[in-house]
Coordinates of all heavy atoms in Angstrom, one line a residue:
K554 N -23.4 10.3 7.7 CA -24.7 10.8 7.8 C -24.7 12.1 8.4 O -25.5 12.9 7.9 CB -25.6 9.8 8.6 CG -25.9 8.6 7.9 CD -26.8 7.6 8.6 CE -27.2 6.3 7.8 NZ -28.1 5.4 8.6
A555 N -23.9 12.3 9.6 CA -23.8 13.7 10.1 C -23.3 14.8 9.1 O -23.7 16.0 9.4 CB -23.0 13.6 11.3
Q556 N -22.7 14.5 8.2 CA -22.0 15.3 7.2 C -23.0 15.5 6.1 O -22.7 16.0 4.9 CB -20.7 14.9 6.8 CG -19.6 14.9 7.8 CD -19.4 16.3 8.4 OE1 -19.4 17.3 7.5 NE2 -19.3 16.4 9.7
G557 N -24.2 14.8 6.0 CA -25.2 15.0 4.9 C -24.9 14.0 3.8 O -25.5 14.2 2.7
V558 N -24.1 13.1 3.9 CA -23.8 12.1 2.9 C -24.8 10.9 2.9 O -25.3 10.3 4.0 CB -22.3 11.4 3.1 CG1 -22.1 10.4 2.1 CG2 -21.3 12.5 3.1
K559 N -25.4 10.7 1.9 CA -26.4 9.4 1.7 C -25.6 8.2 1.8 O -24.5 8.0 1.1 CB -27.1 9.6 0.4 CG -28.2 8.5 0.2 CD -28.8 8.5 -1.2 CE -29.8 7.4 -1.4 NZ -30.5 7.5 -2.7
V560 N -26.1 7.3 2.7 CA -25.4 6.1 3.0 C -26.5 4.9 2.5 O -27.6 4.9 2.9 CB -25.1 5.9 4.4 CG1 -24.6 4.5 4.6 CG2 -24.1 6.8 4.8
I561 N -25.9 3.9 1.6 CA -26.7 2.8 1.2 C -25.9 1.6 1.7 O -24.7 1.6 1.4 CB -26.8 2.8 -0.3 CG1 -27.6 4.0 -0.9 CG2 -27.5 1.6 -0.7 CD1 -27.6 4.0 -2.4
E562 N -26.5 0.8 2.3 CA -25.9 -0.4 2.9 C -26.1 -1.6 1.9 O -27.2 -2.0 1.6 CB -26.4 -0.8 4.3 CG -26.1 0.3 5.3 CD -26.4 0.0 6.7 OE1 -25.9 -1.0 7.1 OE2 -26.9 1.0 7.4
L563 N -25.0 -2.2 1.5 CA -25.0 -3.3 0.4 C -25.7 -4.5 1.0 O -25.3 -5.0 2.0 CB -23.6 -3.6 0.0 CG -23.4 -4.6 -1.0 CD1 -24.0 -4.1 -2.4 CD2 -22.0 -4.8 -1.3
D564 N -26.6 -5.1 0.2 CA -27.1 -6.4 0.4 C -26.8 -7.2 -0.8 O -27.4 -7.2 -1.8 CB -28.6 -6.3 0.5 CG -29.3 -7.6 0.8 OD1 -28.5 -8.6 1.1 OD2 -30.6 -7.6 0.9
A565 N -25.8 -8.0 -0.6 CA -25.0 -8.8 -1.7 C -25.1 -10.1 -1.6 O -24.5 -10.9 -2.5 CB -23.6 -8.3 -1.8
G566 N -25.9 -10.8 -0.6 CA -25.9 -12.1 -0.5 C -24.4 -12.8 -0.3 O -23.7 -12.2 0.4
N567 N -24.1 -13.7 -1.3 CA -22.9 -14.3 -1.1 C -21.9 -13.8 -2.3 O -20.7 -14.3 -2.5 CB -22.9 -15.8 -1.2 CG -23.5 -16.4 0.1 OD1 -23.1 -16.0 1.1 ND2 -24.2 -17.4 -0.2
R568 N -22.3 -12.8 -3.0 CA -21.7 -12.3 -4.2 C -20.2 -11.8 -3.9 O -19.2 -12.2 -4.6 CB -22.3 -11.3 -4.9 CG -23.6 -11.6 -5.7 CD -24.4 -10.4 -6.2 NE -25.6 -10.7 -6.8 CZ -25.9 -10.9 -8.0 NH1 -24.9 -11.0 -8.9 NH2 -27.0 -11.2 -8.5
I569 N -20.1 -11.0 -2.8 CA -18.8 -10.5 -2.5 C -17.9 -11.6 -1.9 O -16.7 -11.6 -2.2 CB -18.9 -9.2 -1.6 CG1 -19.8 -8.3 -2.2 CG2 -17.6 -8.7 -1.3 CD1 -19.3 -7.6 -3.5
K570 N -18.5 -12.4 -1.0 CA -17.8 -13.5 -0.4 C -17.3 -14.4 -1.4 O -16.1 -15.0 -1.4 CB -18.6 -14.2 0.6 CG -18.0 -15.2 1.4 CD -18.9 -15.6 2.6 CE -19.2 -14.7 3.5 NZ -20.0 -15.2 4.7
D571 N -18.0 -14.7 -2.6 CA -17.5 -15.5 -3.7 C -16.3 -15.0 -4.3 O -15.4 -15.7 -4.9 CB -18.8 -15.7 -4.6 CG -19.8 -16.6 -4.2 OD1 -19.7 -17.2 -3.2 OD2 -20.9 -16.5 -4.9
M572 N -16.2 -13.7 -4.4 CA -15.1 -13.1 -5.0 C -13.7 -13.5 -4.2 O -12.7 -13.5 -4.8 CB -15.2 -11.6 -4.9 CG -16.2 -11.0 -5.9 SD -15.7 -11.3 -7.7 CE -16.8 -12.7 -8.0
V573 N -13.8 -13.7 -2.9 CA -12.6 -14.1 -2.2 C -12.1 -15.4 -2.9 O -10.8 -15.5 -3.1 CB -12.9 -14.3 -0.7 CG1 -11.8 -15.0 0.0 CG2 -13.3 -13.1 0.0
N574 N -13.0 -16.5 -3.1 CA -12.6 -17.6 -3.7 C -12.1 -17.5 -5.1 O -11.0 -18.2 -5.6 CB -13.6 -18.8 -3.6 CG -13.9 -19.1 -2.1 OD1 -13.1 -19.2 -1.3 ND2 -15.1 -19.4 -1.8
H575 N -12.7 -16.7 -5.8 CA -12.3 -16.4 -7.2 C -10.9 -15.9 -7.2 O -10.0 -16.1 -8.1 CB -13.3 -15.5 -8.0 CG -14.6 -16.2 -8.3 ND1 -14.6 -17.4 -9.1 CD2 -16.0 -15.9 -8.0 CE1 -15.8 -17.8 -9.2 NE2 -16.7 -16.9 -8.6
H576 N -10.7 -14.8 -6.3 CA -9.4 -14.3 -6.3 C -8.3 -15.3 -5.9 O -7.2 -15.3 -6.6 CB -9.4 -13.2 -5.1 CG -8.0 -12.6 -4.9 ND1 -7.0 -13.2 -4.2 CD2 -7.5 -11.3 -5.3 CE1 -5.8 -12.3 -4.2 NE2 -6.3 -11.3 -4.9
I577 N -8.6 -16.2 -5.0 CA -7.6 -17.4 -4.7 C -7.4 -18.2 -5.9 O -6.2 -18.5 -6.2 CB -8.2 -18.2 -3.5 CG1 -8.2 -17.3 -2.3 CG2 -7.3 -19.3 -3.2 CD1 -9.0 -18.0 -1.1
N578 N -8.3 -18.5 -6.6 CA -8.2 -19.2 -7.8 C -7.2 -18.6 -8.9 O -6.2 -19.3 -9.4 CB -9.5 -19.6 -8.6 CG -10.5 -20.5 -7.8 OD1 -9.8 -21.4 -7.0 ND2 -11.6 -20.6 -8.1
I579 N -7.4 -17.4 -9.1 CA -6.6 -16.6 -10.1 C -5.2 -16.5 -9.6 O -4.3 -16.7 -10.3 CB -7.3 -15.2 -10.2 CG1 -8.6 -15.2 -10.9 CG2 -6.4 -14.3 -11.1 CD1 -9.4 -13.9 -10.8
M580 N -5.1 -16.3 -8.3 CA -3.8 -16.1 -7.7 C -3.0 -17.4 -7.8 O -1.9 -17.4 -8.2 CB -3.9 -15.7 -6.4 CG -2.5 -15.2 -5.7 SD -2.9 -14.3 -4.1 CE -1.2 -13.9 -3.7
A581 N -3.6 -18.5 -7.4 CA -3.0 -19.7 -7.5 C -2.5 -20.2 -8.9 O -1.4 -20.6 -9.1 CB -3.9 -20.9 -6.9

Side-chain angles (χ1 to χ4, degrees):
K554 288 181 176 179
Q556 296 296 318
V558 178
K559 181 180 180 181
V560 173
I561 300 174
E562 298 187 46
L563 180 64
D564 181 6
N567 289 323
R568 289 177 186 266
I569 305 300
K570 193 172 290 186
D571 287 346
M572 286 299 101
V573 174
N574 291 326
H575 287 303
H576 179 282
I577 293 171
N578 287 342
I579 295 166
M580 193 169 179

